[in-house]
Amino acid sequence: MADALDVRLDEVEESDEFELATEEFEISAGLVREGTVCASRWVFSGLVRGRPFMTVECVYKADSTRVRRWPDPGFAIHIEGVPQMTVTVDEVSHGLAAAAPPARSTTSRPCARPPPAHPHHARPARRHRPSHTVTRH
């Protein structure tokens, strides 16, 4: 998106947070067990001269009535500048809001087909500083 606006990002910062279920509950996708991930929030910020130029926030919740932290499920893109722009897309659920993975690292099988060759995918990020938070409420 920054390329389309002819803006070169100096770095991309990423943070993620996870909410763990404090009790078991049922969703259309199945049982969410206590202690498993029931919500997550990712924020990606593209920085120019140390300040956010573009921020993308993604929120997913197995059950919005049980997790009040963070905005409603979906994603938002905010671009600084004149004019400023924010686009918000609400989650469209088909009854499969989430599957509850354990709160641990796992390795998945590689995709059968590599991602498309595209100039945006081919260019590595300049610097990436991840931060992770897991909370139980």
Side-chain angles (χ1 to χ4, degrees):
M1 198 175 231
D3 283 349
L5 297 170
D6 200 27
V7 172
R8 180 156 175 85
L9 300 177
D10 297 325
E11 67 179 297
V12 174
E13 292 182 339
E14 183 263 342
S15 67
D16 48 45
E17 300 175 81
F18 302 93
E19 188 80 25
L20 303 181
T22 57
E23 62 185 4
E24 285 188 354
F25 60 93
E26 191 78 31
I27 61 173
S28 297
L31 181 66
V32 177
R33 297 191 186 281
E34 180 179 349
T36 61
V37 174
C38 67
S40 57
R41 176 179 178 256
W42 293 277
V43 178
F44 304 90
S45 295
L47 306 180
V48 175
R49 292 187 291 279
R51 299 189 61 179
F53 167 74
M54 178 181 350
T55 303
V56 178
E57 177 184 38
C58 305
V59 175
Y60 300 95
K61 299 178 183 181
D63 182 345
S64 292
T65 64
R66 294 174 186 271
V67 180
R68 302 277 182 199
R69 275 176 63 183
W70 311 319
D72 288 337
F75 67 92
I77 301 169
H78 179 77
I79 298 174
E80 291 291 332
V82 178
Q84 287 187 358
M85 181 176 73
T86 300
V87 176
T88 303
V89 179
D90 296 333
E91 177 186 63
V92 177
S93 176
H94 301 287
L96 298 174
R104 63 178 178 196
S105 291
T106 60
T107 304
S108 61
R109 287 188 335 203
C111 296
R113 191 171 62 187
H118 191 277
H120 300 293
H121 300 293
R123 188 176 66 204
R126 308 266 280 154
R127 289 187 348 214
H128 179 73
R129 289 190 225 148
S131 67
H132 311 283
T133 306
V134 176
T135 53
R136 181 186 295 257
H137 289 277

